[in-house]
Structure formats: C-alpha cells, structure tokens
Amino acid sequence: MATAARTTPDARTAQKARSTGYRGLLRTPGAWAFVLPGFAARQPFAMLTISMVLLVRHATGSYGMAGAAAAITGAASALCAPQGGRLADRYGQRAVLLPGAALHTLSVLAVVVLAVSGAPAWALLLTAVPAGATVPQIGPMVRSRWSVALDDPASPLMQTAAAFESVTDELTFVVGPVIATALCTSVHPAAGLVAEAGLTLVGGALFAAQRRSEPQPHRSSADGGVKHASALSLPGVQALAIAFLGVGAVFGGMQVSLAAFTQEIDRPGLNGVLYGAFAAGNMVSGAIYGAVSWRRTPRTRLLAAYMGLAAACGPLWATHSLAPLSVLPLIAGLFIAPTIVTAYSLVDTLVPRSARTEAFTWLTGAVAFGQAIAVTVAGLLTDAHGSSAGFAVPLVGTVTALAVLIGLRGRLAPPPAGAKATGGIGHRPPVSVD
C-alpha cells in the first residue's frame, strides 16, 4: 500500500503529460467529429476576399474598385458576424448556419452573374453587402465547441486548442488563396467565387450535421435575472477587438499589395504563392507556439507578439523586388499566430461560456473590418502610387493598434473571482459547467 501511495504522484504526472499538447488535445472525446467538418467548412472563407478582388479587378479594370468591393464584403461581415454569433449562442449553431450558408451561396452567385454580364460598378458594390453579411462564422463555432469539449477554462489544453485552430485557419489560408488564384487565372476570373459558393454550401451542411458536439443554446442569462448584453460590452473584448483590427490591416494590405506587385512584374500566378508564404509563416509559428508551455502571462505574450508584428511590417513598403518579397511576408506571418492564439486564449478567461461564440465573432469581425479598411486604402494607394504604397497599410495599422493596445492593457487581466463584468454579463470563478 505504501509503495502504491508513493507512485501515485508519478502516475498523475505521467497522465498529465500525456494529456497535454496536440496529441492530448486530439484525444479529447468527440474532437475529430467537429474538427474535420470544421476544416472543410471554413475553407471558403480563405477564398472569398482574393476571389472578389480578382473578379472585380477583371470586370472593372481598377484595383481601387476591387478593393472597395472586398472592403464592403468585409465590413458587412464584420458588422453582421457578431449578431450571428449571438444568435448561435442563444438558438444553436445549426439553426443559424444552415440558412446562412444558403443565403451566402445565393449572394455570391449574384455577384458572379453581375460581374460577367458587365453590370455597372455600383451594382457589384451593392451585391457585395449580402455576400459579406451572410459569411458563415465557422471558426468561432469550432472554437466554442472546443470550450465545451474541454470544459475547463484553466486547462492547459485551452491554449493548445487556440493554437490548433490558428494553425487550421492558416492552413486554409495556405491552400485557399492558391486554389482561388489558380481558378481565377487559369479557368475564369469568376471561378474562384463559384468554387467558394459551392464549398460554403456543402461544408456548412457537413458541419451543421455534427449535432453531438454543438454547444447547448443559452436562451436565458447565467443568473436568470440579467438581460443578454453584447460580448463587446466586456472591456477585455474591446481591447482584443482593437488588436484584431490591426491584424486585419495586415491581411488586407497584403492581399491587395501582393496582387498588384505580381501584376507589376507580369507574374500574376505568383500572387497565391506569395500570400501562401505569409500564411505558412503563421501556420508554422502557431504550431510551435501551441506546443510550448509559456511562463509569461498571456497579456505579456500578446504585447510582445504584437510588437514583433509591427516591426516585421516595417520593411515591406520599402521593398520593390521579388526576392525580399518572397521572405518578408513569411517573417510577418510568424508573428500573426502568437497574437491570435494568445488573444483567443484570453477570451476563454475573460468571457463566460454563454457569450463566447459572440465574443469570437467580434474578434473575427474585427479582422474582417480591419481588412475591409485596409483593402480600400491599399487599393487607392496602389492605383495612385503602385504596390509599394499599399504595403504601408499593414505598418500603419499595426503601429496604431499597438499604441492603443498598450494603453488598454489593464483590460486584459481576468476579473477577480466573484466579480461582475460591465454590460450585464456575469463572470464567476471557473467551474466545470457554466
């Protein structure tokens, strides 16, 4: 008996070691049932903006107009996604996802029909609104399912799950832009959006069919007496949303400027490859970041990663040749994943489960909104001064967001046990069931 008592701590340590990291994460019961359909369903998101840019550029001959169409799509997504996330929290993901995917498919096909039929630019911009407003928010839905599957905000696997999702997102941004660019340049300028619409419909249906991993709807507040308030009313979510606006500026500025650069050197087929290198840096750093047990607090790590991102965006605008632009996007991508992973990990400690899908959609919406602003500004600058001017957008966006984030860093500390957050969403000490 004494020997058994002495070996129990070692056994517990060994069990804990086996339960951490990506291997332990993917052993979570029911994980594969939503991971694989979730990967298929989010693939179209990586194809939408670049496909919109290439089609509208072909139809109108202007990067400014292409950037405006992509910007409207992103802005509509940013404004409507949190409402969809809130509805998913209250009524269930399936109830929101199925009609949303169908509407998105129809809206994107409307853009295609108008573009190939020579419709005026204002019509393309108008139809870009529903195309963006109906984008299915698969990433936030998958992240909410991880929160339920792991059932413990303090679990070390929560950061691993956030890193895994970042890697999965960026794997789609390695594959998606390459596929979309190949379809648009080799098949037809509209082929990218047609494929995006079809994948949205099929992937959304496959993901919605996974009912067992779907979080339970929260139609009433946690304490039964407080009305539902927006997750954006939480100070921590506000600070993270600002950070994600800067991340969106990097995505949007890169997409337009790299497309313009490859056109300038008469090698448009390299657009997807160069942007894929940017996404590959994100993916690699995300995989490594999630496998490390960090001693620094998430807030410290977030600020350090963001400083690195701003510094990496600095040399882009001064570069005018292919060789450095094959490497610099990769370096910038290395700092994206640590920023996103740490921010999503903070959501699990700052936001109650009943509002997490909405909180995640506010962050993805902030990326989309920042991207919308960036593609508009980068498109105008590119039309006027060339691709090098467009590369200034990621630098300005990240430096501005970093300055604000430093000023709001106090909002990123988890609230004391038993404290109430403003805006009507209560925080409680972490428990197994929220």
Side-chain angles (χ1 to χ4, degrees):
M1 294 295 292
T3 301
R6 286 194 301 270
T7 57
T8 297
D10 293 335
R12 290 175 179 173
T13 301
Q15 178 64 32
K16 183 177 180 180
R18 287 193 297 268
S19 66
T20 58
Y22 294 111
R23 188 175 183 181
L25 180 71
L26 295 176
R27 287 180 175 178
T28 302
W32 285 105
F34 64 85
V35 166
L36 292 179
F39 177 77
R42 77 179 73 190
Q43 189 66 50
F45 186 75
M47 303 170 63
L48 179 59
T49 301
I50 188 63
S51 297
M52 183 75 74
V53 167
L54 294 176
L55 175 60
V56 177
R57 163 66 176 78
H58 172 80
T60 65
S62 169
Y63 276 108
M65 189 59 64
I72 291 174
T73 303
S77 175
L79 293 173
C80 296
Q83 307 310 316
R86 192 175 186 185
L87 291 173
D89 281 328
R90 296 187 65 179
Y91 300 106
Q93 294 182 0
R94 179 185 174 89
V96 175
L97 179 55
L98 289 178
L103 288 173
H104 179 72
T105 300
L106 294 175
S107 300
V108 169
L109 292 179
V111 174
V112 171
V113 170
L114 290 174
V116 299
S117 62
W122 65 263
L124 294 176
L125 299 182
L126 186 63
T127 52
V129 175
T134 55
V135 172
Q137 299 298 313
I138 302 297
M141 291 183 180
V142 174
R143 287 181 169 91
S144 293
R145 295 190 183 214
W146 277 120
S147 296
V148 173
L150 297 175
D151 204 26
D152 180 9
S155 170
L157 287 178
M158 292 304 300
Q159 176 180 292
T160 307
F164 179 81
E165 287 305 307
S166 179
V167 172
T168 303
D169 280 339
E170 291 318 308
L171 181 58
T172 67
F173 277 97
V174 170
V175 177
V178 174
I179 293 176
T181 302
L183 290 172
C184 291
T185 56
S186 302
V187 180
H188 189 277
L193 277 184
V194 172
E196 191 274 346
L199 287 172
T200 295
L201 191 63
V202 175
L206 290 173
F207 183 74
Q210 309 306 312
R211 302 294 300 275
R212 298 181 67 178
S213 59
E214 182 178 357
Q216 290 296 319
H218 295 267
R219 299 199 181 191
S220 59
S221 61
D223 58 12
V226 180
K227 294 182 179 180
H228 284 280
S230 172
L232 192 60
S233 64
L234 297 172
V237 176
Q238 296 168 3
L240 293 175
I242 292 172
F244 275 55
L245 284 171
V247 172
V250 178
F251 286 129
M254 286 285 195
Q255 286 177 334
V256 172
S257 301
L258 287 175
F261 172 75
T262 55
Q263 288 284 350
E264 290 171 357
I265 63 173
D266 199 27
R267 300 181 68 180
L270 286 178
N271 178 35
V273 176
L274 295 181
Y275 194 82
F278 167 68
N282 189 345
M283 183 175 63
V284 170
S285 65
I288 297 172
Y289 187 85
V292 175
S293 297
W294 299 95
R295 295 183 179 180
R296 298 289 185 180
T297 64
R299 178 173 61 179
T300 301
R301 286 184 273 126
L302 177 63
L303 292 172
Y306 217 96
M307 290 176 186
L309 177 60
C313 290
L316 289 168
W317 69 274
T319 302
H320 308 286
S321 60
L322 179 60
L325 275 177
S326 301
V327 178
L328 290 175
L330 174 68
I331 296 174
L334 292 173
F335 293 97
I336 292 283
T339 299
I340 293 178
V341 169
T342 309
Y344 280 134
S345 298
L346 281 167
V347 168
D348 289 310
T349 61
L350 297 173
V351 181
R353 180 175 296 173
S354 61
R356 281 181 194 156
T357 302
E358 183 194 352
F360 287 134
T361 54
W362 273 114
L363 299 189
T364 56
V367 173
F369 192 67
Q371 183 174 330
I373 297 172
V375 294
T376 302
V377 176
L380 294 173
L381 290 174
T382 297
D383 280 343
H385 305 290
S387 61
S388 60
F391 281 120
V393 173
L395 175 61
V396 174
T398 52
V399 169
T400 303
L402 175 61
V404 177
L405 186 62
I406 290 174
L408 299 179
R409 64 188 182 278
R411 302 185 179 191
L412 301 177
K420 291 282 186 178
T422 60
I425 300 177
H427 282 265
R428 297 171 292 169
V431 292
S432 59
V433 178
D434 193 352

